[in-house]
Amino acid sequence: MDAITSVGLGLRRDFIEAFLGATHHPDFIEVAPENWMGFGGRHAKILAQCVEKSPLICHGLSLSVGGPHPLNIDFIHQIKKFLDAYQVEIYSEHLSYTNDGGYLYDLLPIPMTEAAVKYVVERISQVQDILGRRLVLENVSTYLMPNAEMSEADFVREVITQADCELLLDVNNVYVNSINHQADAYAFIEAMPKQRIRYLHIAGHEQVSTDLLIDTHGAEVCDPVWALLEYTYQVCGVKPTLLERDFNIPTWQQLQNELNKIRQLQHQYSNQRTRIPMSPNLVDGVKV
């Protein structure tokens, strides 16, 4: 995906008809493979039609790379089969866990400790060996940080670097966590391993109170998140960026407006060199 012009959209069944009937399409689309694997007939035909319009990448929900139970090896092989069938180059997942003996349908936080880094890195290596490709992991929104011994930025960076995998940097999640945990969103962006960022996510959220945001993907992207995306382009370079919208689906034109805003920002910063972080506590994105 070309960083300057790559603007993607999370594909949802609610607007597939509008997507297929549109004159202009996103540069790429993203689906959760769990929602499409094993389906034939009409569903498979619809997905094939969508892939003809825009290249497909996958963003999984059920890997549970940080979970306490053994990895589901059969499931990983099913993922590989799906990726190969649709010639999907990118498979991303969440740096969290979703299985505690049964699927929890939520993204639970991993304790941010050195022991957890080692544990998760070993599991990522297993997944990558089976898939025959690098896994791309997303920083997740959290509402608790159980037994944390290190910062979220340090934890994410250590996992990504030691596992030799790639990062899906979710800009909205960075902002949500900065409010929920009174953290510095801009310092988090600076601390990320920039050369390992494969692509970005951006989305809307719900403000429950002044110090609690819920990552719903059910609203327009707000101004502080747009500002953080601009900052990300400045310090990390322009990266392929995908808009997520899962609930309260707006009109197709409204989705296009947000996609166009991403594209405008990408072009604005595409000819600008990445900025050297100026935080007094960071040098090349690493704490000193």
Side-chain angles (χ1 to χ4, degrees):
M1 295 184 292
D2 176 53
I4 296 175
T5 60
S6 285
V7 177
L9 179 64
L11 187 67
R12 303 294 177 259
R13 287 191 171 93
D14 304 73
F15 55 75
I16 279 182
E17 185 175 338
F19 170 84
L20 290 174
T23 303
H24 302 288
H25 298 90
D27 299 310
F28 62 103
I29 52 176
E30 179 190 80
V31 301
E34 294 91 333
N35 293 336
W36 295 91
M37 290 191 311
F39 286 101
R42 178 175 177 272
H43 291 289
K45 183 178 180 181
I46 288 173
L47 183 57
Q49 290 174 338
C50 292
V51 174
E52 288 179 359
K53 304 290 185 181
S54 300
L56 178 68
I57 67 173
C58 286
H59 185 49
L61 301 168
S62 310
L63 183 60
S64 196
V65 73
H69 292 268
L71 290 166
N72 186 335
I73 303 302
D74 289 341
F75 170 74
I76 299 171
H77 280 288
Q78 292 173 28
I79 290 288
K80 177 176 172 56
K81 183 177 179 181
F82 183 87
L83 300 179
D84 291 344
Y86 287 94
Q87 299 180 322
V88 177
E89 294 185 4
I90 298 175
Y91 170 53
S92 63
E93 251 285 1
H94 300 85
L95 186 53
S96 64
Y97 77 91
T98 57
N99 187 318
D100 190 21
Y103 287 102
L104 303 171
Y105 304 102
D106 207 350
L107 303 173
L108 299 182
I110 304 169
M112 296 177 190
T113 67
E114 292 290 351
V117 169
K118 181 179 179 181
Y119 175 76
V120 173
V121 166
E122 291 174 352
R123 288 163 69 91
I124 293 170
S125 296
Q126 280 185 268
V127 174
Q128 293 185 145
D129 287 345
I130 295 171
L131 294 179
R133 69 188 79 202
R134 276 182 170 169
L135 185 60
V136 184
L137 286 174
E138 178 189 44
N139 58 295
V140 298
S141 55
T142 58
Y143 311 99
L144 295 172
M145 297 182 69
N147 304 315
E149 298 173 0
M150 56 200 304
S151 71
E152 182 191 4
D154 288 344
F155 181 77
V156 171
R157 187 176 62 243
E158 287 301 308
V159 168
I160 298 298
T161 303
Q162 292 187 32
D164 191 24
C165 63
E166 294 180 304
L167 174 64
L168 162 51
L169 180 56
D170 191 307
V171 176
N172 180 63
N173 288 351
V174 174
Y175 179 74
V176 166
N177 287 355
S178 74
I179 300 300
N180 291 347
H181 306 298
Q182 293 79 54
D184 186 335
Y186 290 82
F188 185 99
I189 297 297
E190 291 183 355
M192 290 300 94
K194 300 165 185 59
Q195 72 281 4
R196 294 195 179 264
I197 299 173
R198 189 65 184 269
Y199 70 113
L200 310 177
H201 270 180
I202 191 168
H205 54 256
E206 178 185 351
Q207 181 166 349
V208 177
S209 64
T210 56
D211 57 357
L212 177 61
L213 304 182
I214 304 295
D215 178 35
T216 61
H217 303 171
E220 292 183 358
V221 179
C222 67
D223 289 343
V225 174
W226 284 120
L228 191 59
L229 178 65
E230 288 192 57
Y231 186 78
T232 303
Y233 289 159
Q234 291 177 53
V235 300
C236 300
V238 174
K239 306 290 184 181
T241 304
L242 180 131
L243 174 68
E244 295 182 291
R245 187 65 181 263
D246 296 344
F247 303 103
N248 302 321
I249 303 299
T251 66
W252 180 252
Q253 184 57 55
Q254 288 173 304
L255 288 173
Q256 288 297 305
N257 291 343
E258 289 197 289
L259 294 175
N260 288 336
K261 184 166 183 176
I262 295 171
R263 197 179 302 280
Q264 290 167 4
L265 291 176
Q266 287 185 336
H267 281 286
Q268 179 179 341
Y269 292 101
S270 63
N271 295 319
Q272 175 179 304
R273 289 188 176 185
T274 56
R275 189 185 67 76
I276 299 174
M278 299 301 292
S279 169
N281 297 319
L282 294 165
V283 175
D284 291 334
V286 179
K287 284 187 176 181
V288 296

